């Protein structure tokens, strides 16, 4: 065999001529001049060391070698075209896998609908779901274990994060049923600051948010750490301290021995879907669908 690289253009030219059995029509299909097509076929025959076509002034026909080579050439082109199509679908987020993290208690009411809507629109994307507790409030984004996450901001340690806010709700104080606050219609931020508090593990912006660090002049009196709502509520119920939680916790994690009291003067907390700017396209698609499913009349807000 002559020393020459056989390129896809050679195979496409050969298949076009083989299918039409006419150089003129094949050249038109390929949008090239007939002399150029003839030259390409000669290059291929030289590289292969066989004649592919028997040509006369009136007709063109495949040789036996050409017939055998046609099946192989078509198979190569089919595999290449399929690979290119799959690559394009992966690039557009229509194919592959997507690792989704979610923080316990974040968008619980909406997660099933979000997952169904995503699966309906992108059935060829396999979702891998991982739940994270308060020890990992970034939902695996900071460690690179997930591509997109449903979380409660603020986040830290996630560079180039693209955040789409899905919903907001007010914050409440979770207190023991025997605590003096339990009988009040609401409490102020100042009242909460004076109380012992149950905190999430770690040392990060998320923990600081829920112990109201930005409102404090002195460190919080942290009496216990809890990584889940169950552990947190248990600590509150036995009087170790109060905690600050989203209002939806009262409905999702209601239990005996605790009460939920609105906090006056504290800004609403948020639920968001977050992904890195360099995440797979499917992550942005997931964020878009999550926003659509949970959007209210004002729509979602995205920042990046």
């Amino acid at each position: 065999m002559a020393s020459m690289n056989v390129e896809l253009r050679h195979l496409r030219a050969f298949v076009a001529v083989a299918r039409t059995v006419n150089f003129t029509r094949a050249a038109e299909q390929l949008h090239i001049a007939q002399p150029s097509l003839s030259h390409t076929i000669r290059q291929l025959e030289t590289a292969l060391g066989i004649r592919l076509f028997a040509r006369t002034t009136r007709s063109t026909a495949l040789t036996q070698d050409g017939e055998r080579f046609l099946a192989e050439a078509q198979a190569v082109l089919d595999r290449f075209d399929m690979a290119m199509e799959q690559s394009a679908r992966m690039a557009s987020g229509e194919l592959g896998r997507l690792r989704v993290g979610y923080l316990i208690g974040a968008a619980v009411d909406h997660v099933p609908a979000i997952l169904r809507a995503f699966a309906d629109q992108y059935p060829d994307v396999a979702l891998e779901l991982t739940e994270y507790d308060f020890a990992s409030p970034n939902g695996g984004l900071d460690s690179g274990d997930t591509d997109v996450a449903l979380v409660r901001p603020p986040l830290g340690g996630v560079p180039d994060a693209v955040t789409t806010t899905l919903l907001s709700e007010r914050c409440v104080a979770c207190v023991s049923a025997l605590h003096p606050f339990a009988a009040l219609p609401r409490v102020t931020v100042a009242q909460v600051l004076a109380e012992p508090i149950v905190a999430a593990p770690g040392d990060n912006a998320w923990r600081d948010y829920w112990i109201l660090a930005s409102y404090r002049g002195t460190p919080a009196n942290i009496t216990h750490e809890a990584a889940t709502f169950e552990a947190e509520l248990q600590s509150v119920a036995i009087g170790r301290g109060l905690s600050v939680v989203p209002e939806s916790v009262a409905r999702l994690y209601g239990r005996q021995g605790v009460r939920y009291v609105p906090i006056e003067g504290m800004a609403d907390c948020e639920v968001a879907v977050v992904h890195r700017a360099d995440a797979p396209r499917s992550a942005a698609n997931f964020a878009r669908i999550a926003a659509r499913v949970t959007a209210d009349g004002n729509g979602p807000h995205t920042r990046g």
Side-chain angles (χ1 to χ4, degrees):
M1 182 180 295
S3 177
M4 188 197 86
N5 292 326
V6 175
E7 302 172 4
L8 288 174
R9 65 184 181 88
H10 293 101
L11 299 183
R12 294 198 188 281
F14 165 68
V15 170
V17 177
R19 296 303 184 196
T20 60
V21 200
N22 185 287
F23 274 75
T24 300
R25 288 199 297 271
E28 291 173 351
Q29 288 180 4
L30 297 170
H31 304 290
I32 61 176
Q34 182 175 333
S36 177
L37 175 58
S38 297
H39 178 67
T40 299
I41 296 299
R42 285 195 298 272
Q43 284 183 324
L44 180 58
E45 289 178 324
T46 299
L48 298 175
I50 59 176
R51 287 188 64 202
L52 298 172
F53 296 101
R55 299 179 64 182
T56 70
T57 56
R58 295 186 177 182
S59 66
T60 299
L62 279 168
T63 63
Q64 287 186 341
D65 287 338
E67 289 177 353
R68 284 190 290 267
F69 185 66
L70 176 59
E72 299 300 328
Q74 187 65 67
V76 169
L77 292 175
D78 289 344
R79 286 194 294 271
F80 176 80
D81 290 342
M82 180 178 295
M84 293 300 293
E85 180 184 355
Q86 289 182 334
S87 297
R89 294 186 67 202
M90 285 188 285
S92 64
E94 298 176 14
L95 182 67
R97 69 167 181 149
L98 180 65
R99 301 171 301 165
V100 181
Y102 59 97
L103 182 66
I104 54 174
V108 173
D109 292 337
H110 301 283
V111 167
I114 292 170
L115 297 181
R116 284 195 301 270
F118 186 85
D120 287 344
Q121 187 163 346
Y122 299 102
D124 294 325
V125 177
L127 293 179
E128 297 181 4
L129 308 176
T130 304
E131 183 180 69
Y132 290 84
D133 62 24
F134 303 153
S136 303
N138 292 349
L141 291 173
D142 51 340
S143 62
D145 292 330
T146 59
D147 302 309
V148 63
L150 292 159
V151 294
R152 288 186 180 276
L155 302 186
V158 184
D160 299 320
V162 179
T163 301
T164 301
T165 300
L166 302 181
L167 56 92
S168 62
E169 56 184 313
R170 64 180 176 176
C171 296
V172 299
C174 175
V175 300
S176 164
L178 302 178
H179 194 285
F181 288 178
L184 299 179
R186 64 187 61 83
V187 293
T188 65
V189 171
Q191 288 175 294
V192 173
L193 297 181
E195 295 291 317
I197 194 166
V198 177
D203 181 14
N204 50 53
W206 196 83
R207 168 182 160 123
D208 287 347
Y209 178 86
W210 293 104
I211 63 172
L212 308 186
S214 64
Y215 295 89
R216 297 181 184 274
T218 58
N221 178 17
I222 298 172
T223 55
H224 189 68
E225 292 184 345
T228 67
F229 279 122
E230 291 297 335
E232 183 177 345
L233 297 182
Q234 179 67 27
S235 298
V236 169
I238 63 177
R240 283 181 166 173
L242 58 72
S243 67
V244 177
V245 299
E247 187 175 31
S248 59
V249 172
R251 173 172 47 80
L252 299 172
Y253 298 91
R255 61 179 297 161
Q256 295 293 324
V258 299
R259 299 289 185 272
Y260 299 94
V261 186
I263 301 174
E264 191 174 68
M266 183 175 179
D268 289 351
C269 59
E270 298 176 340
V271 172
V273 58
V274 182
H275 62 85
R276 292 177 182 268
D278 60 355
R281 178 64 186 176
S282 53
N285 293 341
F286 185 90
R288 174 175 49 80
I289 288 176
R292 188 188 72 206
V293 170
T294 59
D296 58 15
N298 295 322
H301 173 68
T302 301
R303 60 185 184 276

